[in-house]
Amino acid sequence: MALYRSSHSIRRAVANSWRLSLKPISAAYNSCDWSYFNENNDNNWCRFNFVKRPFTSGSPHVKFSNTDTSTSSYSTLHPLHEGPSYMRAAVFWEPNKPLTIEDFQMPRPKANEILIKTKACGVCHSDLHVIKGELPFASPCVVGHEITGEVVEHGALTDSKIVERFPVGAQVVGAFIMPCGSCFFCSKGQDDLCESFFAYNRAKGTLYDGETRLFLRSNGKPVYMYSMGGLAEYCVVPAHGLTVLPNSLPYTESAILGCAVFTAYGAMAHAAQVRPGDAIAVIGIGGVGSSCLQIARAFGASEIIAVDVQDEKLQKAKTLGATYTINARNEDAAKKIKEITGGMGVDVAVEALGKPQTFNQCVQSVRDGGKAVMIGLTLSGAKGEVDINHLVRRQIKVIGSYGGRARQDLPKLVKLAESGIFNLKAAVSRTLTFEEADKAYKDLDKGNIIGRAVVEIM
């Protein structure tokens, strides 16, 4: 009888505590099963696996799942006063208006999502296109889409394998294309074409249940998310868009792995399929273009030609792998590329700027049978012209490439950076504070940032 009373008391204590909140824990805890009847729904049974831990050390920990234990997921009970109750984020309100830093309710992750304490966020032209109204996007929204940070919490019912891979406290880097992992393209390994990402995030500014995770503290109104909405003190990221960042890599410089390097790798590995000995031209040496130079070098390209209109960027390009530089303001870029390559043209030309003029330069720069890879975004509806007969007769391949494939590529990029093959410190030219986020995009718009800038949020 005494044992029965003790068991009943423990069950009720767990149930009462569970109503406070749920927070994931590592699957490494040793636990034993207790069945508990849900008093609020007589037809609903839940299983709690009570962790062997004294109550005196704090709130009890449980594993919560439905009766099918094959898809177990983990949550931690914790007092509501633990951690901050709100956070700050940089909000885009309408085109050509300054970003403002606003207070938000603390975002809550859902199943298979992870709450990240953001450490750094890169400054990308894609955000700038949204800020200038060149790319239509839901507003108000939080921009910023290449981040590093620390795992804080897993959503309720998150798969146990995800919890084990990304335990609380783990350092992570996030890709801007956040694959759902289950759509037609994700099931084929083509994360860069994830249907949910384009249908929900890019089309509606939400995650994949059709809802944002961001709400203003003052009035509870929703704010949309450009990717994970990384220019914030905390952000929610679908787990398939993350990979672990080793302690040997710094938070600040590593942020660019999630877009600048990620986009460059997707272009070189998947679209262009660069091989050792290939001749490569990169048109537009910004954050992504300069990353293309380093990736081309890593892949063993024999000739790497950098094209831009700023001498300062071209000088920087030489330190990142460029064997030749061309200032397109002073000479015909396509003609000069043909001259450098003995009249042939390059095996692969990459357009990383997003302008009709450079689109045409890219196509004209490749050899017969070569590949012109387009990765630069531009004003919505802009058109690029191409000589159809030249395309047909010379078997020119024009290929679009938006980014890499998070689950397979992001871990590879971390290894490239960890080994020093990709030089992160050389790629990041400037750091700014969180309060300087709006200034960062204004400087980017003026062409005052060489390479990549990163906002530190730590």
Side-chain angles (χ1 to χ4, degrees):
M1 181 66 70
L3 177 62
Y4 171 81
R5 290 196 190 101
S6 176
S7 299
H8 183 74
S9 298
I10 290 174
R11 292 174 188 172
R12 186 164 296 279
V14 170
N16 290 337
S17 299
W18 174 63
R19 294 190 185 101
L20 292 176
S21 66
L22 291 171
K23 176 182 173 185
I25 60 171
S26 169
Y29 281 99
N30 183 23
S31 59
C32 56
D33 288 347
W34 291 87
S35 294
Y36 169 69
F37 188 75
N38 186 342
E39 295 175 350
N40 295 323
N41 185 345
D42 289 351
N43 297 316
N44 185 19
W45 282 83
C46 298
R47 175 174 291 134
F48 289 85
N49 296 326
F50 184 69
V51 175
K52 295 176 180 177
R53 180 172 176 175
F55 280 96
T56 55
S57 64
S59 295
H61 293 71
V62 299
K63 182 173 79 175
F64 171 78
S65 68
N66 58 23
T67 54
D68 179 7
T69 57
S70 64
T71 56
S72 60
S73 44
Y74 294 82
S75 296
T76 304
L77 301 182
H78 63 285
L80 293 177
H81 66 265
E82 285 187 3
S85 60
Y86 69 95
M87 67 150 194
R88 299 182 302 158
V91 180
F92 159 72
W93 296 96
E94 57 181 295
N96 298 309
K97 297 292 184 182
L99 301 179
T100 62
I101 295 179
E102 306 291 341
D103 287 347
F104 281 78
Q105 298 172 11
M106 191 56 117
R108 310 313 311 181
K110 297 187 180 180
N112 299 325
E113 297 173 355
I114 299 180
L115 179 65
I116 304 298
K117 179 176 176 58
T118 316
K119 298 294 185 177
C121 182
V123 178
C124 180
H125 250 105
S126 298
D127 295 312
L128 183 60
H129 286 310
V130 171
I131 291 168
K132 295 174 69 176
E134 296 171 349
L135 284 178
F137 195 78
S139 63
C141 73
V142 173
V143 292
H145 57 268
E146 51 179 26
I147 61 107
T148 53
E150 179 185 331
V151 173
V152 173
E153 182 181 358
H154 311 89
L157 303 182
T158 290
D159 189 280
S160 62
K161 292 181 180 179
I162 291 174
V163 177
E164 291 171 5
R165 186 182 177 197
F166 302 110
V168 171
Q171 299 179 13
V172 292
V173 57
F176 81 93
I177 299 177
M178 309 171 298
C180 69
S182 58
C183 70
F184 173 80
F185 290 107
C186 285
S187 65
K188 295 172 64 177
Q190 294 177 282
D191 291 3
D192 48 330
L193 291 174
C194 175
E195 294 173 301
S196 296
F197 174 76
F198 288 102
Y200 287 99
N201 189 263
R202 283 300 181 262
K204 300 178 180 179
T206 69
L207 292 186
Y208 308 148
D209 61 350
E211 296 180 359
T212 181
R213 303 294 181 264
L214 298 176
F215 299 90
L216 290 170
R217 186 188 185 197
S218 59
N219 54 24
K221 289 185 177 180
V223 174
Y224 300 103
M225 308 163 65
Y226 191 69
S227 289
M228 70 287 291
L231 272 175
E233 292 174 328
Y234 292 83
C235 61
V236 173
V237 187
H240 292 310
L242 296 167
T243 199
V244 173
L245 189 70
N247 293 334
S248 59
L249 291 178
Y251 277 125
T252 298
E253 289 82 1
S254 298
I256 71 168
L257 291 171
C259 177
V261 187
F262 185 72
T263 302
Y265 187 88
M268 294 295 178
H270 304 304
Q273 297 180 332
V274 173
R275 298 292 181 264
D278 281 352
I280 310 292
V282 180
I283 302 172
I285 311 301
V288 175
S290 59
S291 294
C292 285
L293 301 177
Q294 290 206 61
I295 296 296
R297 180 174 61 184
F299 281 14
S302 59
E303 294 171 309
I304 304 174
I305 304 169
V307 181
D308 206 279
V309 296
Q310 292 187 37
D311 287 332
E312 190 176 357
K313 290 185 177 182
L314 293 172
Q315 283 297 119
K316 179 74 172 179
K318 293 177 182 178
T319 69
L320 300 175
T323 55
Y324 299 92
T325 60
I326 300 171
N327 189 321
R329 196 187 299 278
N330 302 329
E331 51 190 331
D332 185 309
K335 183 178 179 180
K336 186 65 176 178
I337 288 171
K338 293 286 182 71
E339 180 184 319
I340 292 170
T341 56
M344 290 282 292
V346 291
D347 298 285
V348 175
V350 178
E351 198 283 338
L353 193 59
K355 292 185 179 295
Q357 179 185 357
T358 49
F359 180 98
N360 186 59
Q361 283 178 348
C362 186
V363 175
Q364 293 298 321
S365 298
V366 300
R367 64 165 174 79
D368 294 355
K371 299 172 183 176
V373 180
M374 309 299 171
I375 61 177
L377 293 177
T378 186
L379 178 69
S380 182
K383 303 292 190 296
E385 294 185 357
V386 62
D387 183 329
I388 296 175
N389 289 338
H390 177 70
L391 195 75
V392 173
R393 291 172 174 167
R394 304 304 178 89
Q395 299 181 34
I396 306 299
K397 302 171 183 67
V398 179
I399 308 168
S401 179
Y402 190 47
R405 298 167 183 174
R407 289 177 294 176
Q408 58 181 279
D409 294 342
L410 201 55
K412 295 176 185 177
L413 298 181
V414 168
K415 289 187 180 297
L416 284 176
E418 192 174 22
S419 66
I421 293 173
F422 191 97
N423 189 333
L424 288 172
K425 290 189 179 297
V428 175
S429 57
R430 187 174 168 191
T431 60
L432 302 98
T433 66
F434 187 35
E435 290 71 23
E436 294 176 308
D438 184 64
K439 173 178 169 52
Y441 288 102
K442 287 179 178 176
D443 286 348
L444 182 65
D445 191 31
K446 294 174 183 176
N448 292 339
I449 294 177
I450 308 299
R452 199 62 146 194
V454 176
V455 173
E456 295 180 318
I457 309 178
M458 294 178 279

